[in-house]
Amino acid sequence: MLFRSTSNISTAPPPLTTAPALAEVAPQVDGTRTSYFEWLGAAQVRLTGPVGAMHEVSDQQAWCTSLAVAFDGDSLVLALSGARAMRDLLGTRYRIQMAVTEPTVRNVSLGPDTTDAAVCVGDIVEARISALALGLPEGGGRCTFFLTLHESESGREIARLPEGAPIVASRHAAGVSSWP
């Protein structure tokens, strides 16, 4: 063989990096990191992909770089951070949904106009979603989901995170959260 093709460009999605939840949290849903302790104890999920010399980062690729996930009483709470302030990204051009795949398939809007959750969009997006809105049974259950970015005008999904398997949040009747 005279020529051998080699490439340094990744073709598979990066592995999902998760730090497990250590405790329930009670964040103030205000669109800002109010304090260092606000999300301490939540599962931390890095959603960034591989970046190299030939990798172009667009709004769709860097819209959400990290996610904090935890339970607060009977609600699932989320904090989404991006490469820039979320209020600048979302505005009238894009909207975010939580595509729930378990226990029942449903979409939960994570915008300021939603009726499914308490949501605040600022530097970050913070949301408190009731177990009822997610279809979780009282006192426990498992919820799997993706985060999706949609064009506001057409409603077309243009990005989904994570790229592989969904995020798993599990709450047991004893109040212990685990992240298998």
Side-chain angles (χ1 to χ4, degrees):
M1 174 186 325
L2 288 175
F3 299 100
R4 192 165 134 196
S5 174
T6 59
S7 173
N8 67 347
I9 300 174
S10 299
T11 57
L16 189 62
T17 305
T18 305
L22 303 173
E24 287 197 2
V25 299
Q28 182 177 348
V29 178
D30 60 2
T32 62
R33 293 261 183 201
T34 306
S35 78
Y36 167 79
F37 301 102
E38 183 177 32
W39 289 94
L40 192 64
Q44 301 294 323
V45 184
R46 276 196 72 128
L47 297 169
T48 55
V51 177
M54 299 182 75
H55 185 77
E56 179 182 338
V57 177
S58 68
D59 282 347
Q60 291 92 2
Q61 292 167 318
W63 68 275
C64 184
T65 56
S66 67
L67 169 68
V69 184
F71 282 94
D72 177 13
D74 285 332
S75 298
L76 181 70
V77 287
L78 306 174
L80 292 74
S81 302
R84 61 184 195 179
M86 288 294 203
R87 74 173 137 316
D88 297 338
L89 172 69
L90 298 178
T92 58
R93 189 171 177 194
Y94 299 113
R95 60 184 172 81
I96 298 174
Q97 283 190 347
M98 183 178 169
V100 179
T101 57
E102 187 184 327
T104 59
V105 176
R106 61 183 67 201
N107 288 316
V108 177
S109 174
L110 298 182
D113 58 345
T114 186
T115 58
D116 294 327
V119 179
C120 190
V121 178
D123 292 335
I124 63 175
V125 173
E126 290 181 309
R128 178 176 282 111
I129 306 120
S130 72
L132 181 63
L134 296 170
L136 290 172
E138 188 175 326
R142 172 183 154 117
C143 176
T144 62
F145 64 93
F146 293 93
L147 296 172
T148 58
L149 184 67
H150 298 260
E151 291 179 336
S152 292
E153 204 169 290
S154 70
R156 183 176 66 98
E157 181 180 310
I158 56 175
R160 178 176 286 243
L161 293 174
E163 293 178 4
I167 296 164
V168 177
S170 181
R171 179 182 168 90
H172 306 288
V176 178
S177 301
S178 65
W179 310 90

